[in-house]
Amino acid sequence: MDNDVAKGLSPVLPELSGLLPDLRGTDITSLLTDYARMAKIVSVVEAARFLEENFASAQNLGGRENLLRHACCSVAMDGDVLEFGVMEGQTLAILCDEFKELTVHGFDSFKGLPEDWTHDSPTGTYSAQGKLPTRLPSNSKLHVGLFEDTVPKYLAGTDAPVALLHIDSDLYSSARTALFGLASRMRAGSIIVFDEFLNYPGWRQHEYRAFMEFVDAFDVKFRYFSFASSYLSVAVRLDSAPKVS
């Protein structure tokens, strides 16, 4: 390792050593020019620090499906179950399985991301060319279109509170539209599962940012109660209803 490079990295070497199999055998100079890999390393360090500071009472469920099912089992109020970002319907099917007695609402345009997300997920990523998923559970209901169009239509058709909200839409703008649009239906006890909350480059600018703005705008009290250490997912429970004027 080049001495100047090693000196510059010395403040973060202890954290990096836990992320790389053997830092002593790594070509650090080469690593520093692999921007995508370095961005991932930095994001992992940031997420680990965030977890240490904020997740003292949160349970680590390991994987994203375990977290989602645990969140479903933790719902302790009546209300609707909604998912924003359906794609092929895998997680919608999980929600339908956990809430067999309910109609589970899935929101998606099926045309992919409406704007750029990360450097390798530009506009249009995850597009199904508008084709709806097949073989969805019978207790699912799709709301097809952009969230800003479908949320008002959903709200006009029901007065039910939101018991569980699964946000798997990646983007800040999409998550914010869902959260702010549904604020009047959130209650103390509502559970929100974020599929891409942290632990990837730029995570503070998307679902995390949208949730922090939601919390500030509506004076919401909440707590993190579970996370998936092998992925990007986090679940929160609202301790107070949003203060909607």
Side-chain angles (χ1 to χ4, degrees):
M1 182 190 301
D2 181 271
N3 289 335
D4 291 336
V5 172
K7 183 178 180 181
L9 279 178
S10 58
V12 296
L13 281 176
E15 290 173 297
L16 288 179
S17 64
L19 300 172
L20 301 174
D22 185 358
L23 188 61
R24 291 169 299 178
T26 300
D27 182 350
I28 297 298
T29 302
S30 175
L31 175 62
L32 287 176
T33 59
D34 186 345
Y35 304 127
R37 189 178 180 194
M38 282 300 297
K40 178 58 179 175
I41 290 171
V42 170
S43 70
V44 171
V45 172
E46 289 180 348
R49 287 173 172 165
F50 183 87
L51 185 151
E52 183 178 16
E53 294 169 1
N54 296 280
F55 286 33
S57 61
Q59 185 176 356
N60 182 7
L61 277 302
R64 60 193 299 218
E65 180 174 341
N66 289 340
L67 181 143
L68 184 58
R69 289 189 182 276
H70 176 263
C72 293
C73 294
S74 301
V75 171
M77 60 175 284
D78 293 331
D80 280 355
V81 176
L82 296 81
E83 176 174 79
F84 284 78
V86 174
M87 284 191 63
E88 296 177 353
Q90 291 95 333
T91 52
L92 186 66
I94 292 173
L95 294 173
C96 289
D97 180 54
E98 293 290 341
F99 295 96
K100 293 182 176 67
E101 74 285 0
L102 298 179
T103 296
V104 178
H105 300 267
F107 296 75
D108 204 310
S109 70
F110 301 100
K111 295 181 180 179
L113 298 175
E115 58 191 66
D116 295 345
W117 178 32
T118 61
H119 75 278
D120 55 354
S121 299
T123 301
T125 302
Y126 310 126
S127 175
Q129 308 300 319
K131 296 180 180 178
L132 306 188
T134 59
R135 299 181 181 178
L136 291 177
S138 59
N139 61 325
S140 65
K141 180 178 180 179
L142 295 180
H143 302 261
V144 181
L146 296 176
F147 298 164
E148 54 261 40
D149 298 325
T150 54
V151 169
K153 293 178 182 178
Y154 159 78
L155 293 174
T158 179
D159 58 1
V162 174
L164 186 141
L165 172 61
H166 182 216
I167 294 184
D168 189 6
S169 53
D170 309 332
L171 295 167
Y172 157 75
S173 59
S174 299
R176 192 181 193 280
T177 297
L179 289 167
F180 277 65
L182 296 168
S184 65
R185 301 296 176 85
M186 300 285 196
R187 303 288 184 267
S190 294
I191 289 176
I192 307 173
V193 178
F194 295 94
D195 202 57
E196 290 87 15
F197 192 79
L198 78 175
N199 197 26
Y200 65 91
W203 61 268
R204 290 183 182 273
Q205 298 305 315
H206 291 285
E207 291 179 1
Y208 167 80
R209 175 186 170 192
F211 182 60
M212 291 299 101
E213 290 183 1
F214 167 78
V215 167
D216 290 341
F218 299 103
D219 192 21
V220 175
K221 303 295 186 282
F222 74 97
R223 57 191 171 93
Y224 298 105
F225 78 93
S226 60
F227 65 98
S229 60
S230 69
Y231 194 62
L232 321 170
S233 306
V234 167
V236 304
R237 188 196 305 272
L238 302 192
D239 291 329
S240 67
K243 296 178 181 178
V244 180
S245 57

